[in-house]
Amino acid sequence: MVVRPKYFTPNEVSIHTTIDDLWVSFMGKVYDLTPLCDKYSGDLLLKPIIKSAGKDISHWFNDKTKDVRTHVDPITGCIVPYTPHGRFIHIPPPLPQSDWANDFGKPWWKDDAYCIGLLSQKTRFIRIINTLTSQEQTIEVCSEEILDEIQDRYMKYNSHARSYTWKYIGKNLEMTKTLEDNDVADDSEEFYRLGMNDDSFLPAIHIYFNDDLTEA
């Protein structure tokens, strides 16, 4: 069985902004750097990372090499890491130092142990209407997610969500497919162009209770 990656929205990343709960994204992936902050607690080299908590830091890295960007040091003429935001954890000092230890193994930006999922390339909002209770929720989802994963997002609003049949314009949705593959079009850009930004124009998915709470 192929394990699907976990997708996150930029908004989800943006709320993890403290040293005790710090996420960043770069190169299309999301990283939980909380363990790194704990390991190097009190180290001044954490400062650039802490300042960038909850943000995308892809501009720190070279698209081709997937490594930290470099430049020619104007003083030494050597190629060194380019860190205008400040030197950070696992970046060597510009000049040799006797107290510099490089026995940390992989630098954190190459260590998949910190990677917790992928950053969505495009998010969208949908309305979910519970036909049993008439409750309606507008939620942001990742365009890459299948309906089963969107259902997981909705669980915080309805713990019995798996006991419902999901439909769009009267048609049962296939839970192993994305919204797009289920013909739930994303017209948000067109609506924005026309000034139709109200939530009432969002696609409405209706869920119907199956009268079986055993799936909850």
Side-chain angles (χ1 to χ4, degrees):
M1 179 179 178
V2 177
V3 178
R4 282 181 51 81
K6 172 75 173 176
Y7 287 94
F8 296 94
T9 70
N11 283 331
E12 286 177 302
V13 177
S14 71
I15 63 175
H16 299 271
T17 58
T18 69
I19 195 168
D20 297 317
D21 179 24
L22 195 155
W23 291 13
V24 296
S25 63
F26 59 92
M27 312 298 283
K29 295 182 179 181
V30 177
Y31 292 78
D32 180 356
L33 299 185
T34 310
L36 184 78
C37 292
D38 183 57
K39 182 177 180 179
Y40 291 94
S41 179
D43 195 319
L44 289 176
L45 296 184
L46 274 177
K47 187 175 180 180
I49 295 173
I50 295 171
K51 287 181 65 176
S52 298
K55 300 176 182 177
D56 187 84
I57 56 172
S58 295
H59 58 286
W60 291 15
F61 304 94
N62 183 300
D63 287 340
K64 294 181 179 179
T65 66
K66 311 300 182 184
D67 211 337
V68 176
R69 293 170 62 193
T70 60
H71 73 138
V72 176
D73 186 286
I75 298 175
T76 66
C78 297
I79 297 177
V80 296
Y82 180 61
T83 56
H85 37 275
R87 181 174 158 234
F88 51 85
I89 296 293
H90 296 166
I91 292 292
L95 298 173
Q97 291 182 197
S98 60
D99 60 349
W100 165 248
N102 61 356
D103 56 353
F104 47 76
K106 288 183 180 179
W108 60 263
W109 57 89
K110 290 185 176 181
D111 192 341
D112 287 338
Y114 295 111
C115 182
I116 57 174
L118 302 180
L119 186 70
S120 177
Q121 297 303 300
K122 189 176 191 303
T123 66
R124 58 184 295 188
F125 287 88
I126 58 171
R127 290 184 298 147
I128 299 177
I129 301 172
N130 186 331
T131 58
L132 178 66
T133 64
S134 297
Q135 292 179 324
E136 178 177 326
Q137 299 291 340
T138 297
I139 64 173
E140 183 181 23
V141 302
C142 303
S143 60
E144 301 90 346
E145 289 177 319
I146 60 175
L147 266 293
D148 272 333
E149 293 158 351
I150 293 174
Q151 185 181 69
D152 288 340
R153 288 184 177 275
Y154 179 67
M155 288 288 283
K156 68 179 180 180
Y157 303 105
N158 183 349
S159 60
H160 300 297
R162 292 192 179 90
S163 294
Y164 286 73
T165 296
W166 290 47
K167 295 187 178 186
Y168 178 65
I169 317 181
K171 177 185 175 183
N172 284 14
L173 296 174
E174 294 189 45
M175 303 303 284
T176 58
K177 292 185 176 181
T178 65
L179 288 167
E180 184 178 0
D181 289 339
N182 271 290
D183 296 322
V184 183
D186 181 8
D187 297 318
S188 56
E189 292 183 5
E190 181 68 10
F191 287 154
Y192 180 81
R193 187 181 68 82
L194 296 173
M196 302 163 61
N197 300 323
D198 190 275
D199 285 352
S200 60
F201 294 108
L202 294 173
I205 292 175
H206 291 79
I207 60 175
Y208 296 81
F209 186 51
N210 294 331
D211 195 25
D212 180 10
L213 292 181
T214 59
E215 296 183 40

